[in-house]
Amino acid sequence: MSETRVFLLPDLGEGLTEAELVSWHVAVGDSIEVDQPIAEVETAKSAVEVPSPYAGIVAELHGKPGETLDVGKPLISVTPVSSGAGVATDDAAPAEPAQPAVVPAETELAEPKPANAEAEAYREEEKAGSGNVLIGYGTPGGHAAAKRTRLPKASVSVLEPAETQPADKAADDLTLLRTRVPGKLGAVISPLVRRMAREHGVDLGVLHGSGESGLIMRRDVEKAISAPVAEPAETKPAPVVEPAETKETQGRDARTGLAISSRTPVRGVRKAVAATMSRSRSEIPEATVWVDVDATGLMELRESMKAGGAAVPGLLAFIARFVTAGLKKYPELNTRIESAEDGSQEIVGFDGVNLGIAAQTDRGLVVPSVRSAEKLSARELDAEIRRLTDVAREGKATPTELGSGTFTLNNYGVFGVDGSAAIINHPEVAILGVGRIIDKPWVVNGELAVRKVTELTLTFDHRVCDGGTAAGFLRFVADAIENPTTLLADI
């Protein structure tokens, strides 16, 4: 029987460094095949099933459901068996990959020379998989090769401190071999950059990436390392003497004196949402404008369409259609601010609208986006919004679907509220909220009437525009809701 092989938890997309183990699909002693799902894990992006790159007998499961596992740490041990035992061998010809993973510049080392026999063994093991892709990660193998950018030796040597031991370096190189970072969304970082930051004590959570879409590059970490550190005036703070009764003991909170009923770790999607919202509040000087809107005309239009027997898009799809038209007239709200290394800033505009739709899920708030939404009719928008909402709630939305928006539409009216000063979805510059539609007294042609009224709330980044632009966009959408036929010739 062959030597047991250990499969390390791979990077499941966008440079995430950890994942929570939700459940195992196999048990010790089970026979498994290449690409068979072995576990479900939840990352800050979504829940995914992890396939095995090996065939054989499960020898050990490294973790229990509910545990948080680090990328590059052991996930499962598999003992290959001979072909006569009825299980596919590791020497079987690899299948063609579904698609090669595309690796951006500065996110991965070129195929390095193995530092020791273990790395060489991994190189051979890597050829045994099928190459099937799963959210940027696939079991390696097949004949197609991903494009890689080779880094010069000088650029790599800066990551190796003189005091690093050969054995430590070999283990680190092997971990890097098994980690893949396929995308550039948000603050994505390569294994090299993560290791460099870890060795120099740099907190990546507070860095502003200078690369495309906020990508944290090696130069960003080097700049943080070279930045002067302010020394506190008092190197030895006076000791704080606390009475014994203020300490937290036996599950009682020291500040309130109340018994602690629960502790919930902040991780997964909730951790990602917290980081994004905190960054938005700290970086964006936001302002909010709002207006009450008579939606009676839109409601009557939908009722007339239903009477005709036609399939009728949802209200959110109609509003999404008005939003994309409004962003064409007021493109300042469909931008992003980028900062250069010298401290200068640019407002980056886009030829198109990727419309984010805020969706509440069991795992937290996520924002999948309708790509090129300005090209879609109300019916097409309705179909795509429903599809994205479904995959988001199932935890199956891809990193691209979750991280490529340029403007967000948030329908919090489904929760029975009228308005909210929403937090902008960083790095976007604006978010439009829609409240519930309810009967209200309204003046029509000088007469008091009962109308269907909703509240629109626009929160915007004051760096990209002033109140006049924001108010103009908001009024445009409001007028379209009140007189919908003017913009819905392409329903």
Side-chain angles (χ1 to χ4, degrees):
M1 184 172 288
S2 304
E3 182 181 356
T4 297
R5 292 173 173 176
V6 179
F7 174 43
L8 305 185
L9 178 66
D11 185 333
L12 298 168
E14 308 316 312
L16 300 172
T17 59
E18 63 183 21
E20 180 183 347
L21 179 59
V22 177
S23 63
W24 286 107
H25 295 337
V26 296
V28 174
D30 287 355
S31 296
I32 61 174
E33 299 178 352
V34 171
D35 278 341
Q36 177 178 333
I38 56 175
E40 181 181 8
V41 300
E42 180 182 355
T43 69
K45 297 290 186 181
S46 59
V48 296
E49 288 185 331
V50 181
S52 171
Y54 310 133
I57 304 297
V58 177
E60 185 176 356
L61 304 177
H62 301 279
K64 298 178 181 179
E67 289 186 5
T68 298
L69 307 178
D70 293 331
V71 168
K73 297 298 184 182
L75 178 65
I76 189 172
S77 296
V78 179
T79 302
V81 295
S82 64
S83 57
V87 179
T89 65
D90 295 319
D91 297 327
E96 288 293 334
Q99 66 183 69
V102 180
V103 182
E106 289 198 56
T107 61
E108 185 183 40
L109 277 173
E111 290 291 338
K113 208 166 189 177
N116 55 18
E118 186 183 5
E120 183 61 44
Y122 174 72
R123 178 70 64 83
E124 295 304 318
E125 293 170 8
E126 195 175 36
K127 299 174 183 178
S130 72
N132 289 341
V133 173
L134 171 66
I135 316 228
Y137 163 76
T139 56
H143 303 295
K147 293 181 66 177
R148 295 176 172 83
T149 299
R150 293 186 176 272
L151 300 178
K153 291 183 179 179
S155 66
V156 177
S157 62
V158 70
L159 302 179
E160 304 295 340
E163 64 271 20
T164 302
Q165 298 299 320
D168 294 336
K169 181 180 182 299
D172 239 341
D173 288 342
L174 184 60
T175 298
L176 294 179
L177 275 172
R178 303 187 183 192
T179 306
R180 299 292 183 261
V181 182
K184 284 188 177 182
L185 303 178
V188 179
I189 48 178
S190 76
L192 282 175
V193 177
R194 288 202 299 270
R195 196 175 89 202
M196 183 180 185
R198 183 176 65 251
E199 291 172 349
H200 292 84
V202 175
D203 183 1
L204 293 169
V206 300
L207 287 189
H208 299 166
S210 61
E212 182 181 347
S213 300
L215 181 71
I216 296 179
M217 312 295 286
R218 187 172 63 253
R219 59 177 176 266
D220 301 321
V221 178
E222 291 173 344
K223 183 178 179 180
I225 293 172
S226 61
V229 179
E231 293 292 337
E234 293 290 336
T235 57
K236 290 184 179 181
V240 178
V241 179
E242 297 182 356
E245 60 269 21
T246 63
K247 295 182 180 178
E248 183 182 317
T249 59
Q250 298 180 353
R252 189 166 294 278
D253 179 57
R255 189 180 72 84
T256 63
L258 299 175
I260 297 174
S261 61
S262 65
R263 290 184 182 274
T264 304
V266 179
R267 56 193 181 194
V269 174
R270 175 54 56 194
K271 183 176 181 180
V273 170
T276 300
M277 296 299 100
S278 297
R279 186 174 183 183
S280 179
R281 281 296 197 200
S282 65
E283 292 184 13
I284 299 177
E286 61 187 30
T288 303
V289 290
W290 60 91
V291 64
D292 287 340
V293 182
D294 181 2
T296 306
L298 180 57
M299 299 293 286
E300 291 175 345
L301 174 64
R302 292 189 73 245
E303 289 302 320
S304 65
M305 293 175 64
K306 289 180 181 179
V312 182
L315 285 170
L316 192 62
F318 285 112
I319 297 174
R321 182 70 184 85
F322 303 150
V323 166
T324 58
L327 291 175
K328 184 176 181 180
K329 186 173 182 180
Y330 298 93
E332 299 93 331
L333 296 171
N334 188 51
T335 60
R336 181 179 67 234
I337 286 188
E338 290 187 355
S339 300
E341 291 185 357
D342 61 1
S344 62
Q345 292 183 324
E346 290 182 327
I347 298 176
V348 180
F350 303 105
D351 184 15
V353 178
N354 288 352
L355 185 62
I357 305 295
Q360 188 68 44
T361 73
D362 293 340
R363 295 179 174 87
L365 183 68
V366 295
V367 188
S369 59
V370 179
R371 299 174 68 83
S372 300
E374 80 285 355
K375 299 178 181 178
L376 304 182
S377 66
R379 283 197 174 92
E380 292 169 333
L381 283 167
D382 184 68
E384 184 64 2
I385 288 172
R386 293 179 188 276
R387 184 192 72 81
L388 286 171
T389 301
D390 288 342
V391 297
R393 287 173 178 163
E394 293 171 1
K396 304 300 182 184
T398 66
T400 299
E401 290 171 333
L402 291 175
S404 59
T406 60
F407 183 97
T408 294
L409 178 59
N410 185 8
N411 178 24
Y412 43 70
V414 296
F415 302 113
V417 297
D418 297 330
S420 169
I423 299 176
I424 297 171
N425 186 24
H426 187 280
E428 298 169 16
V429 298
I431 179 172
L432 178 68
V434 183
R436 60 178 177 164
I437 299 177
I438 59 174
D439 290 340
K440 280 188 176 182
W442 199 264
V443 177
V444 181
N445 298 324
E447 298 290 335
L448 190 63
V450 177
R451 307 289 284 183
K452 301 290 184 182
V453 178
T454 186
E455 181 180 289
L456 299 181
T457 307
L458 177 70
T459 302
F460 66 97
D461 187 335
H462 228 313
R463 296 175 296 178
V464 301
C465 69
D466 297 321
T469 299
F473 168 81
L474 188 62
R475 192 64 253 173
F476 178 94
V477 177
D479 291 343
I481 292 175
E482 293 180 343
N483 302 282
T485 54
T486 58
L487 276 177
L488 292 178
D490 63 347
I491 293 177

